[in-house]
Amino acid sequence: MAAARPVRVRIAPSPTGDPHVGTAYIALFNYVFARKTGGKFVLRIEDTDQTRARADSEGMIFDALRWVGLTWDEGPDVGGPHAPYRQSERRQHYVDHAKLLLESGAAYRCFCTEDRLAKLRVQQQAEKRTSGYDRQCRGLDPAAGRDRAAGGEAHVVRLKMPLEGPITFKDQLRGEVVRQATEFQDQVLLKSDGLPTYHLANVVDDHLMEISHVIRAEEWISTTGIHVVLYAAFGWEPPEFIHMPLLRNPDKDKTKISKRKNPVSINYYRDSGYLPQALLNFLGTMGWSFGGDREKFTLAEMIEAFAWERVSLGAPVFDLKKLTWLNEQYIHEMSLDELAERFIAWRLNKDYLVKLLPLAQKRIKKLDELIPLTEYFFSGDLDYTPLHAEMGVPEVTPVDVSKALLAFVERFEAREGWSTEMIEQEMTAWTEAVGWKVSHAKGLIRVAVTGRKSSPELSAVMAALGKEISRRRLRKAAEYIASGGKAKQ
Ligand code: GLU
């Protein structure tokens, strides 16, 4: 019986970008459940999609989760009985398991070329049919397939999904979830480069790591059907599934939280002066209720009171007003000693000062000039109203100026790291792309980022300010300009 298994839960982030608040949200519920039940909490890095992996992402995930106050019992950096915990180091497991499925007939080799699949897609579109793989290789003789593979012919391994009937699984929050076999394709398990897809690696690892409960975001529900077919094909007992409601933007459609509407990087919340315990508390109120109308609680209190029955499936709104309110409560109640420590951990520390001082040293005569000179390095969103006249570009409509600023922000999304050189490169490329005078282009970014008409070298300022605060101000300035100066600051 699944209930008798010792509790082992995990988060399995893919290191594809900045550490996401959604990861902290799901980590929190896994952590709380593990602590409540005396179970283990595992961190596994799902980095098999080499095209999307970013080298700096994994370390940022570790740092960000530790910053909010969550720790894991097993993981790539702390080890554990099921090491390694990074999927890129576990390739052989996936190859071996795909082989098992080929031998039992639950999977097959598919030799269809990219070219054939592309033509198939075009044809399906032209005939207005649902697109997807037509299972041409499903009927191939397995022995012939084995020979072709042995001869070096490129192929993928696909799962034989049932062709009809319902595929069902139990979600602890929703009860029985029923999907139809016709909604699924014969999912690729192993790609032609020998690397697994998310589905194979995820299921194999959850099994080998003896995960008892898969607690993850709702967006994965739609493919859980593939996972239960895989568990059955291996003859394994599936874990319990618990899909947490997705965080939503506070807009009227309650869309899935997105960086265009809300900062989603945990580092933004750290750099803009939120306290880790307030952020964690806030995430604990997303979809879960403490009881009564109590909103403020510590992690220990959440563990004490935790029960899945208190999760509601309504769309939890990631409302910064509520987070700020909670943050305020924590600040007001904190001892002065603790508050002083928080300021030091935030930006009143040597690490941050040494980033600023090269920009300030030659501009001051006395120490007391530092704070007025560098005030925008310590403040949050800026008030652009007094600078309204500076935020235009001759012969360009405000809407286009705003779009151009957003395009500038987008340039950083795909790039790793954050340095003066990289910002300089992007700024030059962007200035050329928009075709404005350098003084106009830089002037606009300067006002957006510093709220001033003059500043030290912009790329150095942005580098010191950090990626999160720089991006936030650029987006806010774009919003302000697009609204013709009416957007709330
Ligand atoms: N690698 C997936 C992610 O990025 C894991 C999803 C799951 O928890 O199964 O979130």
Side-chain angles (χ1 to χ4, degrees):
M1 282 286 289
R5 289 197 220 177
V7 169
R8 289 180 52 82
V9 294
R10 77 342 180 238
I11 50 161
S14 298
T16 52
D18 298 312
H20 200 280
V21 280
T23 304
Y25 163 61
I26 297 300
L28 170 65
F29 282 86
N30 275 280
Y31 177 92
V32 166
F33 183 60
R35 293 293 167 266
K36 175 89 193 172
T37 54
K40 294 277 186 242
F41 174 43
V42 177
L43 191 155
R44 180 172 77 228
I45 292 289
E46 300 208 327
D47 58 349
T48 55
D49 187 349
Q50 301 289 331
T51 53
R52 294 180 61 227
R54 264 182 42 185
D56 59 347
S57 185
E58 178 185 295
M60 289 202 291
I61 293 172
F62 296 164
D63 291 347
L65 289 176
R66 289 213 168 90
W67 175 75
V68 288
L70 299 177
T71 50
W72 40 100
D73 305 304
E74 298 169 28
D77 54 339
V78 295
H82 298 283
Y85 290 91
R86 214 175 264 118
Q87 289 190 327
S88 56
E89 295 165 19
R90 302 174 58 80
R91 291 178 194 190
Q92 199 55 43
H93 286 301
Y94 316 126
V95 172
D96 292 347
H97 281 85
K99 207 163 147 227
L100 287 178
L101 296 181
L102 284 170
E103 281 163 7
S104 71
Y108 62 96
R109 293 187 177 86
C110 166
F111 297 89
C112 292
T113 58
E114 272 307 319
D115 189 45
R116 172 170 192 270
L117 297 177
K119 285 196 181 119
L120 182 64
R121 269 194 297 276
V122 172
Q123 195 186 342
Q124 285 166 334
Q125 267 160 14
E127 292 167 10
K128 300 216 161 34
R129 284 192 286 141
T130 28
S131 58
Y133 181 56
D134 61 358
R135 300 184 156 121
Q136 176 171 274
C137 293
R138 184 165 164 141
L140 281 184
D141 170 32
R146 203 169 44 236
D147 291 346
R148 285 168 71 176
E153 193 173 337
H155 63 280
V156 300
V157 174
R158 287 184 188 270
L159 177 64
K160 266 189 202 163
M161 288 294 286
L163 297 176
E164 54 186 21
I167 295 176
T168 59
F169 60 91
K170 195 173 144 253
D171 177 281
Q172 260 198 38
L173 302 175
R174 294 167 180 77
E176 188 104 301
V177 178
V178 183
R179 290 283 142 98
Q180 294 306 316
T182 45
E183 294 171 39
F184 297 97
Q185 303 192 25
D186 283 354
Q187 180 63 46
V188 173
L189 299 177
L190 211 56
K191 296 178 278 188
S192 54
D193 57 7
L195 285 174
T197 55
Y198 153 72
H199 305 288
L200 178 66
N202 188 269
V203 164
V204 166
D205 283 347
D206 281 345
H207 176 74
L208 295 181
M209 294 180 179
E210 299 177 76
I211 298 303
S212 59
H213 297 71
V214 165
I215 304 162
R216 62 184 166 201
E218 195 177 4
E219 62 193 318
W220 303 100
I221 250 190
S222 58
T223 50
T224 303
I226 299 168
H227 296 193
V228 292
V229 170
L230 261 175
Y231 279 103
F234 283 121
W236 296 337
E237 185 188 345
E240 303 277 339
F241 293 106
I242 298 160
H243 290 93
M244 292 296 292
L246 283 182
L247 303 178
R248 307 285 171 164
N249 288 313
D251 53 13
K252 67 176 188 334
D253 301 325
K254 298 215 178 142
T255 46
K256 178 184 161 187
I257 187 172
S258 64
K259 60 176 176 262
R260 278 167 199 84
K261 304 239 165 119
N262 253 327
V264 292
S265 168
I266 300 171
N267 293 345
Y268 168 76
Y269 294 93
R270 180 196 63 200
D271 293 351
S272 64
Y274 288 102
L275 302 170
Q277 58 270 54
L279 181 59
L280 210 52
N281 183 161
F282 175 62
L283 292 171
T285 65
M286 296 287 110
W288 188 77
S289 90
F290 189 91
D293 50 10
R294 184 157 163 197
E295 304 244 63
K296 184 171 175 290
F297 45 84
T298 64
L299 184 56
E301 288 166 336
M302 181 173 175
I303 295 168
E304 175 78 32
F306 189 75
W308 289 117
E309 291 70 41
R310 298 218 186 125
V311 170
S312 84
L313 294 177
V317 175
F318 199 87
D319 179 359
L320 290 190
K321 282 202 214 75
K322 183 164 157 193
L323 171 59
T324 306
W325 174 81
L326 271 172
N327 208 61
E328 180 185 5
Q329 309 305 308
Y330 281 95
I331 288 185
H332 291 186
E333 288 169 16
M334 222 171 227
S335 73
L336 292 183
D337 222 48
E338 209 184 332
L339 188 55
E341 288 300 337
R342 279 290 153 207
F343 273 111
I344 293 167
W346 175 61
R347 297 209 133 165
L348 302 186
N349 56 51
K350 190 167 173 185
D351 281 353
Y352 194 54
L353 272 183
V354 294
K355 287 188 190 159
L356 309 186
L357 291 181
L359 306 175
Q361 186 176 19
K362 297 281 162 25
R363 291 178 170 81
I364 56 174
K365 300 178 288 299
K366 278 168 70 225
L367 301 183
D368 65 356
E369 290 169 28
L370 179 74
I371 302 292
L373 185 72
T374 59
E375 182 270 336
Y376 58 89
F377 278 103
F378 297 92
S379 52
D381 293 345
L382 304 173
D383 176 9
Y384 298 115
T385 327
L387 291 151
H388 189 73
E390 310 296 324
M391 299 181 88
V393 175
E395 286 162 42
V396 185
T397 64
V399 172
D400 286 340
V401 173
S402 167
K403 279 191 190 147
L405 263 188
L406 290 177
F408 181 56
V409 186
E410 284 303 323
R411 286 180 165 265
F412 299 108
E413 304 297 346
R415 296 213 47 174
E416 271 172 35
W418 183 253
S419 66
T420 308
E421 299 70 40
M422 186 255 261
I423 297 165
E424 192 60 50
Q425 258 175 30
E426 291 299 348
M427 195 141 49
T428 309
W430 172 79
T431 307
E432 276 166 23
V434 289
W436 303 337
K437 270 194 181 164
V438 175
S439 58
H440 289 142
K442 285 203 165 179
L444 177 66
I445 295 182
R446 173 165 288 116
V447 170
V449 170
T450 68
R452 297 180 181 200
K453 285 189 263 180
S454 64
S455 77
E457 187 46 46
L458 250 188
S459 45
V461 167
M462 284 174 66
L465 201 51
K467 183 175 180 179
E468 296 308 328
I469 302 299
S470 302
R471 284 201 298 198
R472 164 83 174 184
R473 288 184 185 170
L474 289 161
R475 282 191 192 281
K476 280 272 159 195
E479 215 175 277
Y480 174 81
I481 295 168
S483 73
K486 287 195 258 316
K488 264 222 313 284
Q489 298 294 296

